Amino acid sequence: MCLHRISIPLLLLTMKLRHSIIMSSIPLVLAGCSVHSANTGQEDNIVTLQTDFNADPPSYTDYFERIETIPLETNDSSLIATVSKILVVNDRIVVLDFKSSSVKEFHTDGSYIGQIGNKGQGPEDYLTVYDISYNKDKKYLSLLSPYGVIVNYTLDNKFVDRVELPSKPNYWAAEWIDGKRMVTWSAVESDEPGVSLIDPYSGTEIMSDWYNCLEFDLLSMNPFGTYDGKSYFAGPLTNDVYEITPDSLKLSYIWDFGKDNISENYRESLRNIDDRQTRHDKVREDLGKDNHKYDFKNNWQTNKYFLALMLVSPSPHIGYKTAVYSKENKTGVCFSKFKEGMTFIPVYVNDEYVLCQIPETEFDTYNGITASKLVYNDDDNIVLAKYYFKK
């Protein structure tokens, strides 16, 4: 098992693939970037999350009461190269492997169930998967193609149907809001909306919003999150998180890292670069520097916490920080590892627990804390850590 599998897909690989799709699908003329101009509605009760970007590592016991380890079963069919997204549905763990463009399913004890769908040219197959989302009302899993198609399967791997989405240059992410409505995300030119609320079956676009700089939007991979029946969108190269409503994006909460925030002056300086490739390269090269210390990759909310996963250094030395903000104490910290030495990179969050992938180099640390008996073997599948929140 390779160490790089601890991360979600490599940033540069992901951006290169997605950027190539966009470059081949839209005109090459671009005259600078416009400022995001979403109709954010009545921005009442906006929550500001004041968080220490360079906090001392906390103990895992500050948030969690116990940890379990879940080795995913190893066989020729079950191996995972890169964890792009994880969903937990009932007693099943569903893993999107971006590198192999496959979706694999495990029981919550780690035993392997099988693959969802098949790659191919047939009407029940898919070519590429960029995102997965579960429709709770209809009880099927949707696999999103960047070419504007969702292919739906039951969790027992029975084909349901294939749906053509409204025409866009590319689709990066899609999330079911309820049984009939889905929110989608595309990186498009600044005069096109990147976020759309749609009815996939009728092709009706209910709401569209988010007009932004293309090179900023190329940074985002997993911008959507759900909590308490509401869906949220995290704006790329900004600390703003919006509630998705039938009318617009409504600003809901803002991460505030004080002096470590990405400044509007920096964003404006990027917008003023006319050449798209130059602007694109600078955004990537600046990651981890004083004026661009992080990119948000995921945002979650639970009954007790706000959480965010941030990329803080580029390939080949990829690094992450996780921001955790307590709703009760109204304080937040950013950190890469707990005081006990475990890297904390969430891949799935709900009110009960957080799932993380365990680096092979930390097996001994987890063995000491959990009484597990993890042993490194290069041919083994990944191992997940399940952190249970304090009640």
Side-chain angles (χ1 to χ4, degrees), residues 2 14 17 40 69 77 94 241 263-264 275 312 330 344 362 385:
C2 299
T14 305
L17 290 172
T40 53
T69 59
S77 301
V94 183
V241 180
S263 72
E264 178 55 38
D275 181 70
V312 294
K330 300 190 185 317
F344 189 59
E362 296 176 13

Side-chain angles (χ1 to χ4, degrees), residues 84-137:
S84 175
K85 187 173 184 178
I86 284 183
L87 299 178
V88 179
V89 183
N90 301 325
D91 64 342
R92 302 188 180 196
I93 299 172
V94 183
V95 183
L96 170 58
D97 183 340
F98 181 86
K99 188 173 182 179
S100 66
S101 197
S102 62
V103 181
K104 297 177 181 178
E105 194 174 20
F106 300 80
H107 289 294
T108 48
D109 65 0
S111 56
Y112 184 57
I113 299 172
Q115 181 167 305
I116 299 292
N118 294 296
K119 295 177 69 173
Q121 300 282 352
E124 298 184 7
D125 301 330
Y126 60 85
L127 289 174
T128 307
V129 183
Y130 269 13
D131 199 7
I132 55 175
S133 180
Y134 185 67
N135 189 315
K136 295 180 181 178
D137 294 343

Side-chain angles (χ1 to χ4, degrees), residues 135-254:
N135 189 315
K136 295 180 181 178
D137 294 343
K138 297 185 177 181
K139 295 181 171 55
Y140 59 59
L141 185 72
S142 295
L143 280 58
L144 173 72
S145 162
Y147 307 107
V149 174
I150 55 171
V151 187
N152 299 313
Y153 303 88
T154 68
L155 292 178
D156 294 325
N157 196 27
K158 290 182 172 58
F159 174 77
V160 177
D161 58 12
R162 183 184 191 90
V163 181
E164 299 283 340
L165 301 179
S167 179
K168 282 186 179 291
N170 64 95
Y171 281 90
W172 287 18
E175 192 81 25
W176 286 104
I177 289 183
D178 52 36
K180 296 182 178 179
R181 298 179 303 164
M182 169 176 274
V183 62
T184 66
W185 164 244
S186 301
V188 292
E189 295 285 14
S190 58
D191 59 350
E192 299 178 73
V195 176
S196 296
L197 181 61
I198 63 173
D199 176 344
Y201 285 95
S202 69
T204 303
E205 191 169 75
I206 302 165
M207 181 275 293
S208 60
D209 208 333
W210 192 258
Y211 299 83
N212 198 37
C213 179
L214 174 64
E215 283 66 43
F216 297 177
D217 288 352
L218 283 168
L219 299 171
S220 186
M221 290 192 291
N222 297 296
F224 297 127
T226 59
Y227 173 69
D228 196 25
K230 297 179 180 179
S231 295
Y232 296 87
F233 167 76
L237 209 67
T238 175
N239 295 0
D240 301 341
V241 180
Y242 299 85
E243 180 188 344
I244 299 164
T245 77
D247 300 316
S248 65
L249 297 177
K250 180 180 178 182
L251 187 59
S252 178
Y253 62 94
I254 302 170

Side-chain angles (χ1 to χ4, degrees), residues 333-347:
V333 296
C334 290
F335 59 98
S336 298
K337 290 187 176 185
F338 287 114
K339 184 166 59 177
E340 292 82 1
M342 302 90 77
T343 301
F344 189 59
I345 303 177
V347 292

Side-chain angles (χ1 to χ4, degrees), residues 21-90:
I21 292 172
I22 294 170
M23 294 290 283
S24 64
S25 305
I26 58 178
L28 295 179
V29 177
L30 182 68
C33 283
S34 65
V35 178
H36 162 55
S37 56
N39 174 19
T40 53
Q42 296 297 316
E43 297 175 356
D44 299 326
N45 302 317
I46 299 170
V47 178
T48 299
L49 312 179
Q50 294 184 334
T51 302
D52 185 351
F53 188 76
N54 297 297
D56 292 333
S59 169
Y60 80 94
T61 60
D62 293 343
Y63 308 104
F64 304 102
E65 63 179 25
R66 61 190 174 94
I67 308 171
E68 293 179 359
T69 59
I70 308 172
L72 299 188
E73 180 182 339
T74 300
N75 62 47
D76 291 342
S77 301
S78 69
L79 289 175
I80 295 166
T82 55
V83 177
S84 175
K85 187 173 184 178
I86 284 183
L87 299 178
V88 179
V89 183
N90 301 325

